[in-house]
């Protein structure tokens, strides 16, 4: 059973109540959240020791239920007192101020108490406004219509938001008027697992009035006071947001790689879509074409390379603290892409995993086939990107190949999928067809590839199970190499 909202709120507002801490800890203990339970038990002082040594669990449970009833009664009394105080305030104001400042012409903000920062939940509950003023504000918001959702990622450990992450998010929002939807990204070591759309659950909706007050509402189905249609709508928007992020990081990587190779930026996306060997981008979609001017201006602005960035309409307003804001990323917290570093690859020989990264964000984690000691270790870059490297789609290197630093080693497909996960190659990195085609579409030539005997990368497979969830923009034509049939360590 999950702890009811009232007891959590009570603990946050009354951090000195040792019995409340004890009861909260017992519920965490029953749900298997040991760390939070121990934290609550420590805050409960002598109550924990007294109950654990002298009372049976059944008696504790009875008292627990009784305490919940008391808390509900106290909450209702507090609501009544607040309403009474508000009425008295209005009466007082009506008696001593002129008619021009009557209640219907005034705007008095009701600010709730901040949550105790030592609480394990850090205020992770929505605050209910029960006074008349709050109801009026809610009515006005309803008439204005819902705001479009703004998304960001937030770290999870064991499927739960950490106190540190929640506290950091709330502190960031205290002086910003915003409504943010957080998507959970599981944290493993130093990595955040981006994964696929279903693996990024809706976690919380944070609201800030810009004056220090931040509230939150759980979006988990068992907690959310919302309809299934509301959640479906948010989930659909979150999927679209995730797809745009993947398109943006693919463009950013290609633009950056082009600049490093040629010394200038590609003015048009068509410059990235040349036939082999100038195929800097493997595939393109209509949304990527629309996004390209903004991404180009954004990258130039960050590098200080834009000639007239202040007058460029694609960049939007700038802030010395927040960086440039992009119109296409108005649905992203901060107004710019969530993934900010060009793509790179780590191959872990110990776990047979190829990890695709943007900084510390794991975009994909594929299972691969290797050659044991025959697979070299070290740093490489993707030099050639070739469609059908054997001259046909069913060759031993499959439909895609990416040569490493002009050597005899490559990342490629295979006509022997049973070798994936094993050390049966002569040194190359073998991938399933759907995986290598997706990787080919995402990474440009010049992408950094690091091969290690052992790495601290995730072990779980992170790749879309459904074909429709894959990153599969329309293949750019002319990416075969008519002058060569590849024989990587054949």
């Amino acid at each position: 059973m999950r702890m009811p909202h009232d007891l959590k709120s009570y603990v946050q507002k009354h951090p000195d109540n040792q019995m409340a801490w004890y009861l909260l800890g017992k519920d965490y203990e029953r749900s298997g959240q040991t760390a939070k339970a121990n934290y609550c038990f420590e805050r409960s002082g002598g109550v924990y020791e007294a109950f654990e040594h002298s009372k049976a669990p059944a008696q504790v449970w009875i008292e627990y239920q009784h305490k919940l009833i008391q808390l509900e009664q106290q909450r209702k009394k507090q609501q009544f007192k607040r309403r009474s105080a508000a009425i008295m305030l209005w009466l007082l104001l009506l008696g001593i101020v002129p008619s021009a400042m009557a209640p219907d012409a005034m705007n008095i903000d009701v600010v709730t108490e901040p949550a105790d920062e030592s609480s394990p939940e850090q205020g992770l509950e929505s605050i209910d406004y029960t006074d008349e003023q709050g109801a009026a504000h809610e009515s006005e918001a309803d008439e204005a219509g819902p705001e479009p959702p703004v998304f960001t990622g937030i770290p999870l450990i064991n499927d739960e938001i950490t106190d540190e992450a929640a506290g950091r998010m709330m502190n960031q929002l205290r002086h910003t008027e915003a409504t943010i939807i957080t998507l959970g990204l599981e944290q493993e070591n130093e990595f955040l697992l981006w994964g696929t759309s279903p693996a990024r659950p809706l976690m919380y909706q944070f609201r800030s009035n810009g004056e220090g007050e931040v509230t939150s509402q759980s979006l988990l189905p068992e907690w959310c006071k919302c309809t299934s249609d509301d959640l479906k709508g948010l989930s659909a928007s979150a999927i679209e947001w995730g797809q745009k992020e993947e398109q943006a990081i693919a463009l950013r990587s290609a633009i950056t790689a082009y600049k490093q190779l040629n010394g200038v930026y590609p003015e048009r996306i068509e410059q990235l879509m040349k036939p082999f060997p100038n195929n800097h981008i493997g595939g393109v979609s209509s949304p990527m074409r629309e996004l390209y001017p903004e991404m180009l201006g954004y990258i130039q602005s960050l590098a200080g390379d834009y000639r007239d960035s202040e007058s460029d309409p694609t960049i939007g307003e700038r802030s010395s603290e927040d960086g440039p804001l992009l119109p296409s990323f108005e649905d992203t917290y901060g107004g710019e892409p969530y993934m900010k570093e060009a793509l790179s690859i780590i191959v872990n020989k110990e776990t047979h995993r190829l990890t695709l990264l943007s900084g510390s964000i794991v975009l994909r984690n594929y299972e691969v086939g290797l050659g044991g000691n025959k697979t070299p270790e070290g740093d490489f870059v993707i030099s050639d990107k070739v469609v059908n490297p054997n001259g046909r789609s069913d060759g031993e290197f499959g439909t895609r190949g990416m040569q490493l630093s002009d050597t005899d080693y490559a990342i490629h497909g295979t006509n022997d999928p049973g070798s994936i996960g094993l050390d049966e190659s002569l040194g190359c990195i073998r991938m399933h067809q759907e995986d290598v085609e997706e990787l080919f579409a995402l990474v440009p030539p010049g992408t950094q590839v690091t091969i290690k005997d052992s790495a601290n990368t995730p072990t779980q497979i992170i790749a879309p199970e459904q074909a429709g969830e894959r990153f599969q923009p329309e293949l750019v034509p002319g990416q075969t190499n008519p002058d060569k049939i590849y024989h990587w360590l054949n």
Side-chain angles (χ1 to χ4, degrees), residues 77 123 172 217 334 482:
K77 289 180 180 179
Q172 290 174 350
Q217 176 187 359

Side-chain angles (χ1 to χ4, degrees), residues 166-441:
R168 184 165 55 247
M169 173 62 68
M170 298 184 79
N171 286 333
Q172 290 174 350
L173 291 175
R174 289 192 186 281
H175 301 292
T176 303
E177 185 175 357
T179 300
I180 309 297
I181 306 297
T182 58
L183 305 181
L185 304 181
E186 192 69 24
Q187 182 173 346
E188 185 173 327
N189 300 320
E190 70 269 31
F191 301 107
L192 290 179
L193 312 186
W194 174 263
T196 56
S197 299
R200 297 191 295 273
L202 300 169
M203 296 305 297
Y204 278 91
Q205 175 177 273
F206 290 90
R207 293 182 183 272
S208 172
N209 65 358
E211 299 177 358
E213 178 188 349
V214 182
T215 63
S216 66
Q217 176 187 359
S218 173
L219 295 177
L220 297 176
E222 64 270 25
W223 284 78
C224 186
K225 299 177 180 179
C226 43
T227 67
S228 59
D229 289 340
D230 291 335
L231 290 179
K232 287 180 180 178
L234 280 178
S235 295
S237 297
I239 290 173
E240 291 180 3
W241 177 78
Q243 292 172 341
K244 180 172 61 181
E245 283 290 332
E246 293 181 1
Q247 293 163 351
I249 194 59
L251 286 175
R252 180 171 193 157
S253 301
I255 294 170
T256 302
Y258 185 98
K259 173 65 162 58
Q260 291 174 347
L261 180 63
N262 297 286
V264 296
Y265 289 103
E267 296 181 0
R268 304 178 309 279
I269 193 172
E270 287 76 15
Q271 292 176 256
L272 303 176
M273 300 166 52
K274 300 291 185 179
F276 177 89
N278 298 313
N279 50 332
H280 292 275
I281 194 167
V284 66
S285 63
S286 295
M288 291 174 70
R289 290 179 180 274
E290 296 173 2
L291 191 60
Y292 184 80
E294 286 187 26
M295 289 303 300
L296 175 60
Y298 172 63
I299 294 170
Q300 291 174 318
S301 178
L302 291 179
D305 291 337
Y306 202 83
R307 296 177 183 175
D308 189 19
S309 58
E310 293 299 325
S311 62
D312 177 36
T314 66
I315 298 299
E317 298 179 359
R318 290 170 172 75
S319 165
S320 59
E321 296 181 357
D322 299 331
L325 301 180
L326 308 182
S328 293
F329 287 87
E330 291 179 346
D331 60 352
T332 304
Y333 177 53
E336 55 188 330
Y338 181 73
M339 289 184 277
K340 295 180 171 60
E341 298 186 41
L343 293 170
S344 63
I345 292 171
I346 297 177
V347 177
N348 188 338
K349 293 173 63 176
E350 180 183 25
T351 60
H352 291 82
R353 296 290 185 269
L354 185 152
T355 306
L356 180 63
L357 299 150
S358 169
S360 62
I361 300 175
V362 176
L363 194 66
R364 299 286 190 270
N365 205 37
Y366 302 112
E367 184 180 29
V368 295
L370 301 170
N373 293 331
K374 299 175 184 177
T375 299
E377 299 172 29
D379 294 325
F380 305 85
V381 295
I382 293 176
S383 47
D384 282 7
K385 286 182 59 179
V386 185
V387 171
N388 298 336
N390 290 124
R392 62 185 195 276
S393 61
D394 59 350
E396 61 181 326
F397 299 143
T399 61
R400 304 286 188 274
M402 288 160 277
Q403 191 169 3
L404 300 180
S405 298
D406 296 318
T407 67
D408 287 334
Y409 300 96
I411 301 170
H412 58 70
T414 180
N415 59 1
D416 182 15
S419 65
I420 304 297
L422 304 176
D423 289 320
E424 294 188 358
S425 79
L426 294 179
C428 288
I429 301 162
R430 298 178 178 179
M431 300 183 69
H432 288 293
Q433 177 174 318
E434 61 272 21
D435 293 342
V436 74
E437 290 183 357
E438 183 175 50
L439 182 66
F440 185 94

Side-chain angles (χ1 to χ4, degrees), residues 123-143:
L124 282 179
E125 295 294 341
S126 58
I127 298 177
D128 296 327
Y129 295 92
T130 54
D131 56 277
E132 289 79 357
Q133 173 104 16
H137 284 311
E138 182 176 354
S139 176
E140 292 173 3
D142 290 341
E143 291 179 2

Side-chain angles (χ1 to χ4, degrees), residues 196 198 364 434 438 463-472:
T196 56
R364 299 286 190 270
E434 61 272 21
E438 183 175 50
E465 296 181 0
Q466 304 297 325
E469 297 174 355
R470 292 276 180 176
F471 183 83
Q472 286 183 322

